[in-house]
Amino acid sequence: MTESSDLRRIVRPLDRLIFESLLSGPKTRQDLCLITGQEDRVNRYAIERLRNQGIVIVSSSKGKGYRLAQTAEEVKSFVNDMESRAQKAWRTAGKVRRAYGLKDQLSIPNI
């Protein structure tokens, strides 16, 4: 994806503002709050919406907050991280289901 094609697909003003701010480099969560005037949770939902549009925004607790992926390796790492989180959540749901004796068979949700 190119930056200009990404930008054309972004409809919500907040999402567009966050995307445009990340074009100039990494931003911390605090930076984004100052830039957008929104609370952190609202910004994180916007980042989730952007990611759901296929825009790879990577984050690191060791690095400087959020940034746009620059390499294929970053994209691959992001996908691996998301899949790992999903697997952990799925395992936890199964453990809770068994702990409460829920008999419904676990099935993989449609994605």
Side-chain angles (χ1 to χ4, degrees):
M1 287 184 218
T2 65
E3 293 171 5
S4 60
S5 67
D6 287 338
L7 195 53
R8 281 190 296 254
R9 293 183 300 131
I10 302 170
V11 177
R12 294 182 185 210
L14 175 62
D15 299 2
R16 182 179 287 264
L17 179 59
I18 288 174
F19 179 77
E20 288 174 342
S21 71
L22 292 175
L23 287 173
S24 65
K27 301 291 182 284
T28 64
R29 289 165 58 175
Q30 294 79 14
D31 291 339
L32 290 176
C33 289
L34 291 172
I35 291 166
T36 65
Q38 298 292 323
E39 294 180 6
D40 182 53
R41 184 176 298 268
V42 173
N43 290 334
R44 284 186 283 134
Y45 286 139
I47 288 167
E48 182 180 354
R49 283 191 302 271
L50 289 167
R51 286 172 169 166
N52 285 331
Q53 292 180 50
I55 298 169
V56 183
I57 299 173
V58 296
S59 59
S60 170
S61 57
K62 297 176 185 174
K64 186 182 176 178
Y66 295 106
R67 60 186 168 69
L68 296 171
Q70 299 294 313
T71 67
E73 189 59 39
E74 287 178 325
V75 172
K76 189 176 183 179
S77 177
F78 173 81
V79 169
N80 289 340
D81 183 51
M82 291 288 108
E83 289 174 345
S84 175
R85 288 183 193 185
Q87 289 170 352
K88 288 175 186 174
W90 195 254
R91 282 193 300 270
T92 300
K95 290 175 184 176
V96 170
R97 182 177 292 278
R98 285 188 298 280
Y100 281 85
L102 301 174
K103 304 278 185 217
D104 298 332
Q105 176 146 355
L106 230 69
S107 61
I108 297 175
N110 293 333
I111 299 175

